[in-house]
Amino acid sequence: VPRCGGGVCTLACNPGFGDCDGMAANGCETDTNGSLTHCGGCNLACRPPNATGACSGGACLVARCASGFLDCNGAAADGCEVSAQTDNANCGACGRACAGGTACSAGLCVPTNDDCLRATPIDLGAATHLDVPFTVVNAGHTTDAPTPCSSTGGADVFFSFTLTQTEMVYVDTFGTGFDTMLFFARDGRPRGTACQSYSIFGLEGQVWCNDDATVAETSGGPGCATAGNTSQVVGRFGPGTYFIVVSGFASSQGAGTLHVEHLPITATG
């Protein structure tokens, strides 16, 4: 609405419009209900972070998020505020939280002990029997199980334990709902990441690698007839630090529990 005062033509714009160029000749030329550069008023740009904005009814909205980002709080002011690639509370999607023992990487909840350099330590001093949860879901394939076990291991994760005296150490994955493989390896962290270079073998009767517990590969024994596709290993260890490697057979993945037992060996044991 044009007005003349003191010999000067001024404008009173209708709702939803603005005189953003300051030129009376073209009136209230700007639609402030839909302009990205004048959203809700002149010079109020709609540029939400990490997003493409949209102006609707004079309100700045998020039209779509940039690749790798999420708008989880619905507020345009901070745009797409979440990195879907690395946010543990919103990994790959809003509200998709990574469980304990995993961290968000490339939009997936990946086990934190996915390679030997990040092996999860098991404190054998805490008890003679320990139940240790694990998952190989979204883990990479870092190392193959040694011969005579099958070398077709898939996604694998790493645990470590340290002994101050000679002990027998036993591990199984009984009760786990997918096809597993287990083996022991020496702690190769001081020398690099090639954990398969540190595979170890014991004497007759000691199972250092195992695919299916129904067949005790290294010992040649009968194994455990009711164990299905789960795995068990046992060995005698001197003082030192060692790996336990658990993996899925081929493409098998899932979560389960390592059942770990150990017993010191006396001079007469």
Side-chain angles (χ1 to χ4, degrees):
V1 178
R3 296 175 181 173
C4 185
V8 178
C9 182
T10 60
L11 299 173
C13 294
N14 293 333
F17 291 90
D19 178 20
C20 297
D21 63 3
M23 298 176 60
N26 60 4
C28 297
E29 80 291 343
T30 300
D31 177 7
T32 56
N33 280 332
S35 171
L36 286 175
T37 52
H38 307 283
C39 186
C42 291
N43 302 313
L44 299 178
C46 179
R47 298 191 185 97
N50 306 313
T52 298
C55 185
S56 177
C60 183
L61 306 174
V62 172
R64 62 180 178 275
C65 290
S67 178
F69 291 89
L70 301 168
D71 178 19
C72 295
N73 64 7
D78 59 4
C80 296
E81 77 285 354
V82 171
S83 170
Q85 304 298 298
T86 58
D87 192 298
N88 285 334
N90 303 281
C91 189
C94 291
R96 183 184 294 163
C98 291
T102 66
C104 189
S105 177
L108 297 173
C109 293
V110 177
T112 54
N113 57 342
D114 191 23
D115 61 58
C116 63
L117 295 179
R118 297 180 294 168
T120 299
I122 299 174
D123 180 11
L124 296 187
T128 57
H129 176 98
L130 298 101
D131 292 331
V132 181
F134 74 89
T135 180
V136 298
V137 175
N138 297 327
H141 174 55
T142 304
T143 185
D144 289 328
T147 304
C149 296
S150 169
S151 62
T152 54
D156 47 37
V157 292
F158 294 79
F159 297 85
S160 66
F161 62 92
T162 299
L163 300 176
T164 59
Q165 60 184 328
T166 300
E167 298 198 35
M168 293 294 295
V169 179
Y170 168 89
V171 187
D172 71 53
T173 60
F174 294 170
T176 297
F178 68 101
D179 194 349
T180 61
M181 297 178 66
L182 270 176
F183 65 94
F184 290 120
R186 290 203 182 280
D187 186 345
R189 282 175 290 187
R191 296 173 55 189
T193 60
C195 299
Q196 64 267 39
S197 300
Y198 303 92
S199 300
I200 54 179
F201 302 97
L203 302 174
E204 189 72 15
Q206 298 181 37
V207 184
W208 297 80
C209 61
N210 185 245
D211 175 15
D212 297 334
T214 52
V215 180
E217 285 99 339
T218 303
S219 68
C224 181
T226 61
N229 292 328
T230 55
S231 314
Q232 62 178 346
V233 287
V234 62
R236 174 175 174 152
F237 296 86
T241 299
Y242 305 89
F243 284 130
I244 299 168
V245 187
V246 56
S247 72
F249 180 84
S251 61
S252 296
Q253 292 195 15
T257 301
L258 293 180
H259 307 290
V260 182
E261 296 185 4
H262 65 106
L263 181 67
I265 298 175
T266 63
T268 59

